[in-house]
Each structure stands twice: as structure tokens, then as C-alpha cells.
Amino acid sequence: GPTRKMPLTASAMDFFQLFVPDNVLKNMVVQTNMYAKKYQERFGSDDAWIDVTLTEMKAFLGYMISTSIHHCESVLSIWSSGFYSNKSIALIMTQSRFEKILKYFHVVAFRSSQTTHGLYKIQPFLDSLQNGFDSAFRPSQAQVLHEPLIDEDPVFIATCTERELRKRKKRKFSLWVRQCSSTGFICQIYVHLKEGSGADGLDALKNKPQLHSMVAKSLCQNASGKNYIIFTGPSITSLNLFEEFEKQGIYCCGLLSTRKSDCTGLPPSMLTNPETPQSRGQYRIRMKGNMSLICWYNKGHFRFLTNAYSPVQQGVIIKRKSGEIPCPLAVEAFAAHLSYICKYDDKYSKYFISHKPNKTWQQVFWFAISIAINNAYILYKMSEAYHVTRYSRAQFGERLVKELLGLEDTSPSH
């Protein structure tokens, strides 16, 4: 749960600023003004530009975040006379001023000579966000590694052609997270760029198990020695990775697929289905040290690799129609934790910012901001402030937008 107690009067902005504090926003102001100056030195002066202020930067973020609640086709719809116009917030800043800030907006204006990483333009922001996640929340023992579901803008999907949709889905990066499976709080983000050569580029993409193993190690670099149980999908599950994690005091439970998983070192007899028909709930086990490979039957064969649960401990899967189906405890735990993450995706994925810029670093930035707001809401729900106001996720987002735009006085939090 949360590591600090927030006051009863804490506002949506107070929770958001646990992850995106004023010093980070001030840095965005400085970097944006630096970039605007350099841009104009190179391409000619822009008489309509005046340096952005902290108040304007907050309003700029507020406008962008409003698209996560109303899902307008474009953030500029706020100033239009159409269905998605929003007169209550449109008066805070003119559309032309917003477009100027959008044109010059930067988190890191210039590449330093030592930088080779493709995300150098937002890496300091991602690092700061990670520090905020680590210091504000202590996760439960059970956590999940996965790619969160990111909803595409429903308006866009309804109106675009199939070709546009295919083009739109080809993002140049994939976003992975380590997530607390009892609260939904995202503890760590890892962004994998699909472009470029080297260990994390296209060459690694061709070797999917190697890539996913690298992603898992990056996501768990702060987890060693804490006795966490990490649940993984078939693309990450492998004997070598689980044995490596066990040496670091991290325990695992993963679904295994003969098609998607790296099955190196596993007994072939367990990877083929038996010829004799099996009844639901039957399972076979092979063990090596603490590691168990479970093959469980339920209208199909499901294989699990785990060193976190004893294979002889019994559990049940409850189905509406067929009632209880016996299974090892590892299977029950895996199903329970993954079903929670599916519920999280269903609830929170629709609150991702709709704005879809062309630049990869900006796409990652807005996804990261969306995750920070979802995390802020989870902390709010676990605080005493929630028992006073009881905002839904949509109401929390609307409050945050108004507070960023200066339409609501934020309660003093100190």
C-alpha cells in the first residue's frame, strides 16, 4: 500500500504530484523555452511566441489529460463548435497559444554527447517517474509482468479505414510493466524501442524469447531479495530465466506454451500431449529442485512452470457451469492474479490520453502520464481522502484537469 499518509483534504493534484512534482514541470518549462529559442535561431524568428510559464505548462497538460476522459478525436476539438467542444475549459488558453506550446514542447531539448539511447528526450522524466512510484507505494508479494492493454481512441477506430487502422497499430515501441496484482498499481515501466540495431533493437526482436527475457530482467532489477512472486505469460516463461531469478530471491509462476515459450531444458515428455483421453482436473508433475512443471487438463492441456508453489498443494478453479475443477495451487493462483489484471485493463485502459503524436518519444510520454494518473487514482482510493469525496476514475480525471487549469483551488496538503 501507500508509504505515506495523505491528509483528508488532499486533492487530485496532490496525488498526481507525488509522481509529477513541480520541479519536473519547471524543467519542462525551461526545456521547452530552450528548444523554442534554438528552433527560431535555426528556422527564423516567431513573433507570436513568448516564453511559456509554469501556469501555462500545467494548463497545457490539463488540456491533454482532458482527452483521456472525453476521448475527443483531437485535442483541438476543445476549441471547436462541434460535439467535443468544451467551453468551460477552452477560455483558459487560446487555441493558437496551445498550438504554439505543442509545437515547441520538450522534456529534454538537446542531446548530450554521451547519449546513445533512443528515448533520451524523455529518459530523465521516466527516471523521475520511477523514483516516484518506488517511494510512494510498497507493492504486494504477487506481481505480474505484462504489456498493458492500451485502448485506441474509439472515435478514430469508428471512422478510419482498415488501412489507416493497420498503419496506426504499428507503434515503434512496446510498453511493458511490472504490476502489483492485488491493487493494480504499476510499479515499473519498461519501454522497448523496435527500431535501431544492438541488444534492444530489431536484431533482438527476431529472437523473441531473448528479447522478452531481457525485458523481464529490466523490470525486475529492483525486485531482488524481496521474495516477490512474479507471474508471467508464455512469451517470458522459461526455465533459464526462472532459475536466474531464483538466485536473486525472486520466485516465479508462469504459463508455458510450446509455441511461444523458450522450452530449453524442459523434459520433452511433458511438452507433448498424452494419447489417452484425460478427464478435467487431471494433471502430471515433473520436478527439478524447487522447480515444478505442471501439465493440467481442462478442455485442453495447460502447462505451468513454477518455483513459488508446492505442486502437491491443492487448489480449485471455480466455473459457473461446471462448478469446481481440482488443480494444483499454482494454477489457481495464476488464474486469480491474471484475472485481476484483466479487470484492471478493462477499467483503466480507456483512460489513456487520446492524443496520438507522430514522434515516438511524445507517444511514450503521454502513455507514461496516463499511467501516473491511474497510479495516483489507486493511491487516492487507498487513502482517507477517498472516504470523504469518493470520486470515480472519470471524476478524479476531471478534478485533476480543472486543478491543472486553475479552475479549482487545490486544498492545502500540508
Side-chain angles (χ1 to χ4, degrees):
T3 56
R4 67 188 84 179
K5 191 175 179 182
M6 297 293 277
L8 288 169
T9 53
S11 64
M13 185 76 159
D14 291 329
F15 287 97
F16 177 63
Q17 292 217 299
L18 291 172
F19 310 125
V20 188
D22 269 355
N23 65 328
V24 170
L25 297 174
K26 284 173 185 170
N27 181 58
M28 290 178 197
V29 170
V30 171
Q31 296 292 333
T32 299
N33 289 332
M34 279 169 58
Y35 180 79
K37 185 182 175 191
K38 203 76 176 172
Y39 184 93
Q40 289 171 47
E41 283 174 8
R42 190 173 174 188
F43 297 107
S45 63
D46 183 349
D47 296 335
W49 173 256
I50 49 172
D51 278 0
V52 70
T53 63
L54 179 61
T55 306
E56 284 182 314
M57 185 58 75
K58 286 183 178 178
F60 172 76
L61 285 180
Y63 284 126
M64 285 298 195
I65 291 165
S66 72
T67 68
S68 68
I69 306 150
H70 304 296
H71 290 289
C72 43
E73 196 172 346
S74 159
V75 65
L76 300 179
S77 304
I78 292 166
W79 291 274
S80 72
S81 54
F83 181 76
Y84 288 104
S85 65
N86 193 334
K87 297 286 184 283
S88 62
I89 64 174
L91 300 171
I92 302 298
M93 186 186 286
T94 64
Q95 182 179 337
S96 59
R97 179 59 177 163
F98 175 85
E99 288 184 272
K100 283 291 176 203
I101 297 172
L102 182 60
K103 178 182 177 181
Y104 295 123
F105 174 70
H106 266 71
V107 180
V108 173
F110 307 111
R111 184 196 291 260
S112 69
S113 54
Q114 296 87 29
T115 309
T116 54
H117 195 268
L119 286 174
Y120 74 93
K121 287 198 170 186
I122 52 161
Q123 197 57 53
F125 172 75
L126 293 177
D127 293 342
S128 162
L129 204 60
Q130 188 58 57
N131 289 337
F133 292 169
D134 290 342
S135 61
F137 184 81
R138 194 168 52 249
S140 64
Q141 184 185 27
Q143 293 164 41
V144 177
L145 304 187
H146 72 124
E147 288 184 273
L149 180 69
I150 298 167
D151 259 10
E152 284 288 350
D153 175 11
V155 175
F156 178 86
I157 283 181
T159 56
C160 72
T161 63
E162 197 175 321
R163 186 167 174 271
E164 282 176 320
L165 195 60
R166 277 203 309 271
K167 193 176 169 188
R168 176 70 158 258
K169 285 189 174 175
K170 285 184 180 174
R171 283 198 204 97
K172 293 179 181 175
F173 65 94
S174 55
L175 186 76
W176 292 78
V177 298
R178 175 164 58 86
Q179 189 168 13
C180 168
S181 66
S182 56
T183 59
F185 189 94
I186 287 177
C187 310
Q188 196 156 350
I189 300 172
Y190 177 80
V191 181
H192 167 73
L193 289 177
K194 295 178 182 176
E195 290 186 323
S197 57
D200 59 349
L202 277 172
D203 297 337
L205 262 179
K206 290 169 191 167
N207 188 344
K208 284 276 175 72
Q210 193 180 333
L211 165 67
H212 292 142
S213 168
M214 181 192 76
V215 168
K217 287 173 193 172
S218 300
L219 284 170
C220 294
Q221 58 191 5
N222 301 331
S224 57
K226 296 178 181 174
N227 282 330
Y228 288 156
I229 298 175
I230 304 291
F231 292 89
T232 62
S235 59
I236 292 178
T237 304
S238 82
L239 180 63
N240 291 339
L241 180 69
F242 282 14
E243 285 178 338
E244 198 173 319
F245 275 167
E246 190 174 1
K247 290 172 190 167
Q248 298 170 30
I250 302 170
Y251 299 91
C252 304
C253 179
L255 182 63
L256 197 71
S257 157
T258 49
R259 197 165 50 87
K260 293 181 182 176
S261 307
D262 176 8
C263 297
T264 311
L266 297 173
S269 61
M270 291 292 282
L271 303 176
T272 52
N273 298 336
E275 291 174 14
T276 52
Q278 290 187 287
S279 56
R280 293 176 79 174
Q282 275 192 309
Y283 57 90
R284 297 178 293 148
I285 298 166
R286 287 285 294 275
M287 292 188 70
K288 177 190 174 187
N290 293 330
M291 200 72 66
S292 336
L293 175 56
I294 301 163
C295 182
W296 176 69
Y297 183 80
N298 177 26
K299 289 187 177 176
H301 291 89
F302 296 89
R303 293 171 179 83
F304 297 86
L305 190 65
T306 182
N307 57 1
Y309 297 93
S310 163
V312 295
Q313 280 187 287
Q314 287 294 310
V316 286
I317 299 279
I318 298 171
K319 297 280 184 186
R320 274 188 212 146
K321 290 181 181 173
S322 45
E324 294 185 351
I325 302 164
C327 65
L329 186 61
V331 179
E332 183 190 337
F334 185 90
H337 290 292
L338 248 69
S339 71
Y340 181 87
I341 295 304
C342 291
K343 284 178 194 164
Y344 172 93
D345 277 346
D346 290 346
K347 182 174 181 181
Y348 290 102
S349 66
K350 58 176 172 282
Y351 294 110
F352 276 76
I353 290 167
S354 293
H355 176 65
K356 300 287 189 291
N358 291 327
K359 290 188 171 68
T360 298
W361 73 264
Q362 289 182 0
Q363 291 172 17
V364 175
F365 177 80
W366 296 118
F367 283 139
I369 289 282
S370 303
I371 287 171
I373 299 167
N374 284 341
N375 276 356
Y377 180 68
I378 288 166
L379 289 189
Y380 159 72
K381 278 196 81 172
M382 297 170 82
S383 74
E384 292 177 4
Y386 178 69
H387 300 294
V388 177
T389 47
R390 288 192 173 271
Y391 293 132
S392 67
R393 172 64 184 83
Q395 289 169 325
F396 182 84
E398 283 173 356
R399 296 285 303 180
L400 177 60
V401 168
K402 286 180 176 176
E403 287 162 18
L404 282 164
L405 289 164
L407 293 169
E408 300 268 350
D409 283 337
T410 54
S411 308
S413 58
H414 303 296

